[in-house]
């Protein structure tokens, strides 16, 4: 049997998607990938505690103090030293450069809380995405897992799941429902799908 795909999860915040991935992995639902490290671009975020509790090594590679060039050099070194083959962005709030993403073609995954190509691209993050969907008046939104390339939210789509909007929804209630009904469901599935393809090609 070929070895599992060595995977890094990059985070910046609470890490509920990371938790969903950890839980599904513990259930045996992501047999093709092994999370070898969790990397945060800032100290003190709860996602790091989640990694600790799950016994997964973690690292902080600071962004703010150094800027993107130095950040990406240190990130690349951390990934290389651990033999990382696939990168999962889970609430990671930085945009990676074209140079960086070119090193990992079809090897970086992201989840976006809308049905791409709606409400996505630069500036669409967090509650802004859900506010834009409500302001537009769409009746269906959802989440999209896609590969990351040089265009923000522009890489090939791996999986999507729709979520119906209620008349009473606020950006906050919609954000929670999209996470529960779509993000936490499809991210582990999409990771397994991408990892199994990488594993087959090894
Ligand atoms: C999620 O809404 C995800 O779609 C977006 O950032 C949020 C991360 O939340 N990319 P968490 O840190 O996984 O809880």
């Amino acid at each position: 049997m070929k070895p599992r795909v060595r995977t890094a999860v990059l985070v910046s915040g609470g890490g509920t998607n990371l938790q969903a991935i950890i839980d599904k992995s513990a259930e045996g639902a992501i047999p093709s990938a092994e999370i070898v490290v969790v990397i945060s671009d800032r100290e003190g975020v709860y996602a790091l505690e989640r990694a600790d509790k799950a016994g997964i090594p973690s690292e902080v590679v600071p962004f703010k103090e150094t800027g993107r060039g130095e950040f990406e050099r240190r990130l690349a070194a951390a990934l290389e030293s651990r033999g990382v083959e696939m990168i999962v962005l889970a609430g990671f709030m930085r945009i990676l450069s074209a140079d960086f993403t070119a090193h990992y073609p079809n090897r970086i995954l992201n989840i976006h809380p809308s049905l791409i190509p709606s409400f996505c691209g630069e500036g669409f993050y967090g509650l802004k995405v859900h506010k834009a969907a409500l302001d537009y008046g769409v009746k269906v939104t959802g989440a999209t897992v896609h590969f990351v390339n040089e265009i923000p939210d522009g890489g090939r789509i791996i999986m999507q799941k729709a979520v119906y909007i209620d008349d009473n929804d606020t950006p906050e209630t919609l954000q929670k429902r999209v996470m529960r009904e779509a993000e936490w469901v499809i991210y582990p599935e999409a990771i397994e799908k991408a990892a199994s393809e990488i594993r087959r090609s090894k």
Side-chain angles (χ1 to χ4, degrees), residues 14-17 91 111 113 179 183:
T16 63
N17 278 289
I111 188 155
M179 284 179 143
E183 295 183 41

Side-chain angles (χ1 to χ4, degrees), residues 130 133-134 137-142 163-169 174 177:
H130 303 290
L134 292 174
V138 292
K139 303 300 174 200
V140 183
T141 185
V163 172
Y164 285 100
I165 292 179
D166 290 340
D167 290 343
N168 302 327
D169 265 325
L174 188 55
R177 227 172 46 262

Side-chain angles (χ1 to χ4, degrees), residues 99-175:
D99 265 1
F100 187 93
T101 57
H103 273 97
Y104 293 94
N106 295 333
R107 299 288 173 109
I108 310 177
L109 279 66
N110 183 44
I111 188 155
H112 181 76
S114 75
L115 295 174
I116 289 177
S118 290
F119 316 118
C120 64
E122 221 158 338
F124 283 98
Y125 58 87
L127 284 173
K128 290 185 188 195
V129 179
H130 303 290
K131 185 170 184 309
L134 292 174
D135 286 350
Y136 198 96
V138 292
K139 303 300 174 200
V140 183
T141 185
T144 303
V145 181
H146 62 93
F147 287 116
V148 174
N149 62 10
E150 69 288 356
I151 304 157
D153 299 326
R156 180 155 61 88
I157 290 173
I158 303 167
M159 215 173 263
Q160 291 187 303
K161 188 165 191 276
V163 172
Y164 285 100
I165 292 179
D166 290 340
D167 290 343
N168 302 327
D169 265 325
T170 62
E172 289 78 9
T173 61
L174 188 55
Q175 180 183 51

